[in-house]
């Protein structure tokens, strides 16, 4: 009951905070103004991320006496991410500063022993742990940020993903992950109706916070303790933003749109998965629902992996690979159609 209370508390706090933050966005002029690459037609409030981060971080802080030091490190790292995002929403920070801050929060996690645990406990293994933890956290932060391009898309994916993490954490008795997942799940659900209607956006503070927390939930778990296939559990849950980032990056490099990490971080264009679906003829709302369904399918596969035998696990991974292949085909076809192929 206490764990369920976490969910409902975050849900109601988010519901109450969002209208207030919408008004404050106009007061402080934190607005997303329309331009050629955006689909909204009028200035839209950008403080929505606080409606999610405030209840989640409050839960962590209030439970500080019953949780371990790792959770408090997540609290402080998340706070840094949110503050930087708010500043970025206001004055547009450089890509180098954003990357430096993301690396800083990963260092905070590593210092508190929050790293990927799929490598052996020796010198080489620890080096690989640190390296891939950096790649994972920075990659997920930016992939979730990149996919925040349609009303309700990023928040809805975060809600579905955190719900999947919560279900798996419940059955595997990982209480810390369960509490954090349900807090995030409730906050996202409270904010989602306002975001779906386009009344308020996440802003950089919201999308990067969601990416950081989802990446952290993945490395907190013990998915691979008994079975290496378990590594695929968080990868499947976060499969949509991961695949979108990988394929979009490959296509941008191939088309010579980006040639460095700085350009990769700064580049903005309508070439993500959700943009491609709209190019193929889906409405923005239809594209969001389509991606939700893909995320749910991958999440169900991830839940099944928790108790799967090797044979079943291989079939589930093949199924997930097939889903990614279909997504890839859709993105390539949409790209060719946009460039004039098939006219």
């Amino acid at each position: 009951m206490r764990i369920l209370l976490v969910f409902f508390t975050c849900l109601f706090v988010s519901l109450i905070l969002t209208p207030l933050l919408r008004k404050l966005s106009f007061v402080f002029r934190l607005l997303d103004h329309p331009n050629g690459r955006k689909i909204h037609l009028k200035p839209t409030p950008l403080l929505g991320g606080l409606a999610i981060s405030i209840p989640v971080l409050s839960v962590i802080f209030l439970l500080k006496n019953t949780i371990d030091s790792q959770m408090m490190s997540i609290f402080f790292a998340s706070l840094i991410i949110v503050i930087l995002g708010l500043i970025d929403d206001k004055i547009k920070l450089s890509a180098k500063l954003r990357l430096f801050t993301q690396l800083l929060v990963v260092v905070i996690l590593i210092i508190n022993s929050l790293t990927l645990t799929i490598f052996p406990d020796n010198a080489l293994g620890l080096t690989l742990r640190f390296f891939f933890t950096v790649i994972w956290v920075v990659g997920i932060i930016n992939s979730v940020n990149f996919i925040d391009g349609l009303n309700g898309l990023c928040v809805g994916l975060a809600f579905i993903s955190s719900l999947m993490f919560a279900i798996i954490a419940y059955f595997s008795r990982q209480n810390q992950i369960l509490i954090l997942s349900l807090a995030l799940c409730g906050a996202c659900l409270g904010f989602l109706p306002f975001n779906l209607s386009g009344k308020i956006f996440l802003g950089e503070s919201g999308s990067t916070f969601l990416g950081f927390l989802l990446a952290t939930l993945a490395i907190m778990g013990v998915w691979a303790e008994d079975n290496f296939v378990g590594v695929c559990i968080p990868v499947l849950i976060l499969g949509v933003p991961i695949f979108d980032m990988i394929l979009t990056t490959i296509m941008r490099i191939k088309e010579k749109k980006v040639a460095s990490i700085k350009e990769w971080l700064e580049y903005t264009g309508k070439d993500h998965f959700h943009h491609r679906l709209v190019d193929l003829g889906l409405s923005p709302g239809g594209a969001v629902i389509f991606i939700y369904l893909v995320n749910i399918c991958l999440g169900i596969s991830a839940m099944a992996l928790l108790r799967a035998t090797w044979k079943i696990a291989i079939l589930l991974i093949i199924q997930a690979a097939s889903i990614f292949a279909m997504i890839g085909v859709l993105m390539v076809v949409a790209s060719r159609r946009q460039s004039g192929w098939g006219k």
Side-chain angles (χ1 to χ4, degrees), residues 57-184:
L57 294 180
S58 297
V59 164
I60 297 175
F61 185 77
L62 291 172
L63 295 178
K64 62 181 182 296
N65 293 327
T66 60
I67 56 181
D68 57 29
S69 60
Q70 288 187 338
M71 289 285 275
M72 288 310 297
S73 71
I74 294 170
F75 174 86
F76 289 113
S78 298
L79 203 57
I80 293 171
I81 285 287
V82 171
I83 292 171
L84 181 87
L86 288 172
I87 297 171
D88 194 22
D89 284 328
K90 185 64 178 178
I91 62 174
K92 298 300 176 187
L93 300 175
S94 68
K96 288 182 179 179
L97 181 56
R98 295 201 307 270
L99 180 60
F100 172 80
T101 306
Q102 291 170 15
L103 292 173
L104 174 63
V105 298
V106 180
V107 170
I108 292 174
L109 296 182
I110 292 174
I111 290 173
N112 287 275
S113 302
L114 273 168
T115 62
L116 296 171
T117 58
I118 59 175
F119 300 102
D121 213 5
N122 53 40
L124 177 60
L126 289 175
T127 302
L128 292 174
R129 283 186 187 185
F130 298 159
F131 175 76
F132 282 103
T133 298
V134 171
I135 297 297
W136 173 260
V137 177
V138 173
I140 296 299
I141 289 174
N142 287 286
S143 64
V144 172
N145 184 31
F146 291 163
I147 209 166
D148 184 25
L150 294 176
N151 292 342
L153 179 55
C154 185
V155 179
L157 289 179
F159 167 72
I160 295 169
S161 298
S162 58
L163 179 61
M164 298 297 177
F165 276 125
I167 294 171
I168 293 173
Y170 173 77
F171 284 109
S172 58
R173 299 183 180 182
Q174 300 185 70
N175 290 334
Q176 301 276 34
I177 298 177
L178 179 58
I179 292 171
L180 192 55
S181 298
L182 286 179
L184 181 59

Side-chain angles (χ1 to χ4, degrees), residues 197-241:
S197 60
K199 293 180 179 179
I200 187 169
F201 292 163
L202 280 169
E204 291 291 317
S205 65
S207 58
T208 52
F209 172 75
L210 290 178
F212 173 74
L213 217 55
L214 289 170
T216 305
L217 283 170
I219 62 176
M220 285 175 68
V222 289
W223 329 111
E225 189 176 77
D226 300 315
N227 187 346
F228 188 77
V229 174
V231 177
C232 296
I233 289 176
V235 174
L236 289 178
I237 292 175
L238 300 175
V240 171

Side-chain angles (χ1 to χ4, degrees), residues 172-311:
S172 58
R173 299 183 180 182
Q174 300 185 70
N175 290 334
Q176 301 276 34
I177 298 177
L178 179 58
I179 292 171
L180 192 55
S181 298
L182 286 179
L184 181 59
C185 192
C188 287
L189 186 59
F191 177 72
L192 186 58
F194 300 94
N195 188 230
L196 274 171
S197 60
K199 293 180 179 179
I200 187 169
F201 292 163
L202 280 169
E204 291 291 317
S205 65
S207 58
T208 52
F209 172 75
L210 290 178
F212 173 74
L213 217 55
L214 289 170
T216 305
L217 283 170
I219 62 176
M220 285 175 68
V222 289
W223 329 111
E225 189 176 77
D226 300 315
N227 187 346
F228 188 77
V229 174
V231 177
C232 296
I233 289 176
V235 174
L236 289 178
I237 292 175
L238 300 175
V240 171
I242 292 172
F243 185 77
D244 173 74
M245 181 186 67
I246 292 173
L247 189 56
T248 301
T249 299
I250 291 172
M251 294 175 71
R252 286 177 179 178
I253 293 173
K254 183 180 178 182
E255 296 168 1
K256 298 182 179 179
K257 294 178 179 177
V258 298
S260 66
I261 294 177
K262 179 177 180 293
E263 291 179 357
W264 178 74
L265 286 170
E266 292 180 339
Y267 186 88
T268 54
K270 293 184 176 181
D271 57 353
H272 290 283
F273 181 28
H274 48 283
H275 295 130
R276 303 298 191 191
L277 291 175
V278 173
D279 290 339
L280 286 172
L282 286 177
S283 67
V288 169
I289 292 173
F290 181 91
I291 297 174
Y292 283 176
L293 293 174
V294 172
N295 194 196
I296 291 170
C297 288
L298 294 172
I300 291 172
S301 295
M303 287 190 291
L305 276 176
L306 190 64
R307 296 287 183 265
T309 63
W310 270 99
K311 293 179 180 179

